Amino acid sequence: MAKQLDPLRTTLLLGAGVSVTSGAPTGAELSRTLAAELDPPPSGDDLSEICGIYENRRGRKELVKSIRRRLLGLEPSGALAALPSLPWRAIYTTNFDQLVERSYQSATVDLNVIRSNYDFESIDRAKIVTLYKIHGCIRQDIVDGHKARLLLTERDYGELQEYRGALFRALQFDMATSDTLIVGQSLRDLHLREMAKEVAKLADQGASGKVLLLTYENDPDRALLFEQKGFLVASGSFEDLLHNLLTINPDSSRLVHSSTSIEADKLPPALATVTIEVSRASQFAADEVRLFNGSPATYGDIAADLTIKRGMEARLLKMLEDRSKVCLILTGTAGVGKTSLARSLLFNRHKAGVQCWEHSGPYLFDADSWIAVESGLRQAGRQAFLLVDDCVQRLSTLNKLAEHLGNTEQPHLRLILTANSHQWKSHTKSPVFFSKGIEERLSRLTESDLEQLVNLVERQPKIRRLVEQRFALLPRHQRIRRLRDRCHAEMYVCLKNIFGSEQLDDILLKEFAELSEREQDIYRHVAVLQAMGCRVHRQLILKLLGVDAGSLSAMLALLDGIVEEYDIEPHSGLYGWSTRHDVIAAVIATYKFSDPGELLQLLRRLIDGINPSVWLELETARSICTTEWGIERLPNPEDQIILLRQIIRMLPAERTPRRRLVRKFLDANEIDKAAQEIQLAKESIGQDHVIDRYGVRLAMARAEYTRGILDEDRIAMLHTARTLALACINRNSQDRQSYRIYADVGVALARRAHDVSVLDDALARMREAEQTIMDPELSRDRRSYEQQARSFRSSLSE
């Protein structure tokens, strides 16, 4: 859709959906808010009907006042913040709010605004964009003495026929001379269907432009109905579309203001569409049920006081005041609260007046644009923080940003990152993360944290109603003791004990049992693939399970809250699927793929169906080679080797499966097979630092396990291993593992030849490398090998 759009000849028609990311309610939500203010509350969520009832009961002045309370004060974020960066033909909106106007004002881009017939005389279409407010503006209504009125009730529709007729003629003119993009309308919306009929009439009358419909929901059946009327329909977010438009049209990327900010807080439009602004997100509604089902806290949850203040939080906030540190990295296993703590820290900085952003998960990370933002902040003397959750997926580009921040004296943009511990350790990182960063590992809750958790349950009625009765009846000191002793202060286990009479596993299994057989099959496959570390996506599930694409939308609706779909690359047809938490995925996978034979068959089908042209499936191939729930989980090593060879045949240039295959043979002391695979790997993928290290291990294994040779031959083989290990260090001096393998050779020579000189040389090289690599793991390695060296010297002296 982005490729087919030229903003200069595109008229926008915006519905309520586009304002939701800026904190505005949908029409149904506004209806429910109004209804809740009436006693008794009327049923239904048709806005014009509820407004009519409200006006009859309490008068129009109170109706307008209530709606203004909900809509005034909103600030544009996401796609609306980036809207002025593209030269639209015209904009029509059914929304009362002033988000579009504020966006243009903040970006210092001129905008004509037509709110009623009385505004037409001021229009200057030739020079600047015009915004037509089809249903009026929140600032103007007859209750204030204006001639214009908000279109709220059925009676208002009759009063505004002349204005709507004039607007339709303006829209007709724009459609005859440009394309039309409709955004933010539900395919189920009655008004959209009526509009479709009018659009079809315009096409019959000779309108030359295309009509494009972007909908947030994926509903193929209803989409087809609109396509039959001549619409081009795509599903996805407005943020996604604008992000792609700005990527295609980079010359349009003038800076866009963030809300509540001065000049320094502007974001490039491409960033505005993929960035969460804490000041806006903290105003969104909290969801205690979702939160205590295992999802990370949102900024709305934190603002609503539904989370605890971790004991380490005050200390971490003090650390963030140190301008010489460019980043804070929160690590730990899944479910320990890394994301919630990071967002709590960011929310605290936001309340202190610091600009705070979070990179939105599915999108690529643009280091160059953030470097430009830091420069703007520095020039204006403003401070800001950026959170990148699950940062390992974006480490290559984050390394670039970290290098820039590390080379800038007291940078004005600093980072908060979260990562799973094992992933953080195993990836190559910029030395800046160690020299100018703080790594904090989260594990168990402290005594203070446990008290905070119990206090939260006691003081928040919304949370208290979710608490399991037996826990609620315990005295306070027994609640804390139960969490500390029985749950070992593990965050996720604590939540299980507070909010369920049985283990969370049982709750999940009961939830699973309530689904239909087809829904269960989708759920368990999404869960096991997620547990494997795969980026599960729609097409992958279709291939594995043979699900009919037409029934997919209905199936997802039935799995609402259990399996969620999110955008990855909608323009490429890539939509991600996931359970609501990695820990939940692991629990379901444990019970529903407990049969190794079934897991083996799944892995075979998965590998057979890999599409190398889809980058997500290449990531899947790598994940199943390395994660606990992938090939490693199969109990039979022969099955593991067969699957690794299967991946290599399909993806001969992939390094990961070749590395794992070599390691399998080395671990099994199958020296000849390991040597053969190392040779094949070198021929297929060229020089590879991991394969090179395995070459060192192979030489050491030959020295240890070859039969019928003299001891001097074994020592000669170890010296060959020494030469290979030094070559590894010379080729990749930033790789901690290269120093480890060299030290292992030194240990082997000390044992067999009673010579610690190679081990001493390895230790000296480690000490020197620590100054540049700055990875604390390297320091721990060195201390361990130093202890072994002392033991060897002690035994030699005896």
Side-chain angles (χ1 to χ4, degrees), residues 268 271 365-375 397 400-401 404:
L271 286 185
F365 187 80
D366 185 350
D368 292 328
S369 293
W370 283 111
I371 289 171
V373 169
E374 192 281 330
S375 178
T397 45
K400 180 178 181 180
L401 178 58
H404 170 82

Side-chain angles (χ1 to χ4, degrees), residues 207-374:
S208 60
K210 298 189 295 287
V211 182
L212 305 98
L213 175 58
L214 179 69
T215 174
Y216 288 87
E217 58 196 350
N218 181 38
D219 191 339
D221 294 327
R222 290 185 173 87
L224 180 59
L225 296 176
F226 283 95
E227 287 171 351
Q228 290 169 345
K229 292 182 173 68
F231 285 61
L232 172 66
V233 184
S235 62
S237 69
F238 197 27
E239 282 73 18
D240 249 335
L241 180 62
L242 283 196
H243 181 68
N244 282 284
L245 276 170
L246 292 163
T247 302
I248 295 169
N249 301 282
D251 294 339
S252 301
S253 60
R254 68 172 160 261
L255 292 174
V256 174
H257 280 290
S258 67
S259 63
T260 67
S261 65
I262 60 174
E263 286 289 313
D265 296 335
K266 291 181 177 180
L267 288 179
L271 286 185
T273 59
V274 300
T275 304
I276 298 168
E277 189 174 6
V278 175
S279 59
R280 289 297 322 123
S282 59
Q283 298 177 27
F284 293 177
D287 187 342
E288 65 278 1
V289 175
R290 180 179 173 83
L291 174 62
F292 289 103
N293 267 321
S295 293
T298 65
Y299 296 104
D301 296 333
I302 296 166
D305 198 26
L306 297 183
T307 59
I308 66 171
K309 189 177 289 294
R310 300 286 286 267
M312 64 176 66
E313 193 163 332
R315 175 171 56 82
L316 295 178
L317 286 169
K318 187 71 175 175
M319 291 178 178
L320 292 178
E321 295 176 6
D322 183 355
R323 295 275 307 280
S324 67
K325 299 297 183 183
V326 303
C327 64
L328 168 66
I329 308 110
L330 301 177
T331 64
T333 57
V336 295
K338 302 183 294 296
T339 304
S340 296
L341 176 57
R343 288 175 177 168
S344 182
L345 294 171
L346 220 58
F347 180 70
N348 183 285
R349 294 294 78 211
H350 152 66
K351 289 199 299 182
V354 178
Q355 181 62 50
C356 296
W357 296 292
E358 178 180 339
H359 174 72
S360 184
Y363 300 99
L364 295 175
F365 187 80
D366 185 350
D368 292 328
S369 293
W370 283 111
I371 289 171
V373 169
E374 192 281 330

Side-chain angles (χ1 to χ4, degrees), residues 365-416:
F365 187 80
D366 185 350
D368 292 328
S369 293
W370 283 111
I371 289 171
V373 169
E374 192 281 330
S375 178
L377 290 164
R378 184 160 19 95
Q379 290 173 15
R382 292 274 290 169
Q383 294 291 313
F385 283 94
L386 170 65
L387 167 61
V388 183
D389 192 30
D390 195 15
C391 70
V392 172
Q393 312 241 357
R394 302 163 188 85
L395 207 47
S396 58
T397 45
L398 272 172
N399 280 337
K400 180 178 181 180
L401 178 58
E403 290 289 343
H404 170 82
L405 299 178
N407 292 327
T408 303
E409 185 176 354
Q410 293 194 338
H412 288 254
L413 176 68
R414 288 180 285 159
L415 304 174
I416 298 178

Side-chain angles (χ1 to χ4, degrees), residues 20 79 119 121 142 182 227 238 347 350 436-437 442 508 707:
V20 170
D119 293 330
E121 63 181 4
I142 55 175
I182 303 173
E227 287 171 351
F238 197 27
F347 180 70
H350 152 66
K436 296 189 175 182
L442 277 65
L508 292 175
R707 296 180 180 179

Side-chain angles (χ1 to χ4, degrees), residues 173-194:
F173 173 80
D174 283 325
M175 290 186 67
T177 56
S178 68
D179 295 336
T180 304
L181 172 63
I182 303 173
V183 187
Q185 298 277 8
S186 168
L187 294 179
R188 298 181 179 84
D189 188 80
L190 177 62
H191 296 298
L192 180 60
R193 292 201 295 272
E194 292 299 319

Side-chain angles (χ1 to χ4, degrees), residues 25-46:
T26 63
E29 288 170 345
L30 184 56
S31 298
R32 290 192 288 271
T33 299
L34 292 170
E37 296 177 9
L38 300 175
D39 187 20
S43 60
D45 55 14
D46 180 274

Side-chain angles (χ1 to χ4, degrees), residues 135-155:
H135 291 176
C137 179
I138 192 65
R139 287 289 188 185
Q140 294 185 357
D141 190 73
I142 55 175
V143 299
D144 308 307
H146 286 284
K147 295 178 181 178
R149 67 167 68 211
L150 287 166
L151 198 158
L152 298 173
T153 66
E154 292 293 340
R155 187 186 309 163

Side-chain angles (χ1 to χ4, degrees), residues 41 187 219 374 432 523 532 667:
L187 294 179
D219 191 339
E374 192 281 330
V432 172
Y523 185 14
M532 288 178 186
D667 290 344

